[in-house]
Every structure is written in structure tokens, then in C-alpha cells.
Amino acid sequence: MRLYLGISVILLALLIAASGVAALTRGWVLPTGRKHVTRPRLYGWGQLVVAVALCCQVTFGLMTIGFASRQWGTLTGSVLMVTGVLVIAMSQRAVGCRQRRSAQ
């Protein structure tokens, strides 16, 4: 992995982490996702997990020593990424099985 690519991914991870902290502490979500997110705190945890996954993948992607540890590190980052995306998806689901009834 090239250093300039690693730096740009780390900056992206920092932005995602800042958005996750805002969702955790204040319940604030970016305007593009406000109507989809029903549980902002869970959404914030998902964003933090995705940010950690990106940092893990970049850290182990930039390593030149220890091919086996490099593979395990990127695999760990990938598992964290999938976990974070699943947590974000769970935060966008409606709580319970309520159905909206139209006013008649």
C-alpha cells in the first residue's frame, strides 16, 4: 500500500470517527442519513467500529515485515468492517414490527 493512500484512508477514518462520536454523545446524525436512522447511538457505535476497521487495515497494509501478521491484521480489519456495517444497518431498522396504518 502506498503511503499517500494510507494517509487519505486515515483521514477518512477520522472523519467517520468524529461523526460517530457526535452520534454517540449528542444523537446528531449527518443530514443525509437523518430520515433513515432510527437509533442514533447504535449508528454512532457502528461508525466507530468502521473507523477502527479502516485504521486496522491501513496499519497492517503498510507493514512490510511479517507476511502472516499482515494477513491476519487485514482479515481482522475486514471482519470489523462487516461488523460495523451490520451495526449501522441495525440502527436503520424500525424498532419492533409496527406497521403504519393509513388514516381512513
Side-chain angles (χ1 to χ4, degrees), residues 13-82:
L14 286 175
L15 287 174
I16 293 171
S19 178
V21 168
L24 272 175
T25 58
R26 303 282 183 193
W28 184 82
V29 179
L30 288 170
T32 56
R34 283 188 187 150
K35 66 180 180 177
H36 301 292
V37 175
T38 57
R39 294 177 277 187
R41 299 213 190 282
L42 188 61
Y43 184 75
W45 279 113
Q47 283 188 319
L48 286 178
V49 170
V50 167
V52 168
L54 284 174
C55 291
C56 182
Q57 286 184 339
V58 167
T59 301
F60 286 102
L62 289 174
M63 285 177 49
T64 57
I65 313 168
F67 186 69
S69 64
R70 184 179 192 188
Q71 286 180 338
W72 282 107
T74 53
L75 180 65
T76 303
S78 298
V79 168
L80 282 173
M81 182 73 71
V82 169

Side-chain angles (χ1 to χ4, degrees), residues 3-24:
L3 186 60
Y4 61 88
L5 181 61
I7 291 172
S8 61
V9 171
I10 291 292
L11 289 176
L12 177 66
L14 286 175
L15 287 174
I16 293 171
S19 178
V21 168
L24 272 175

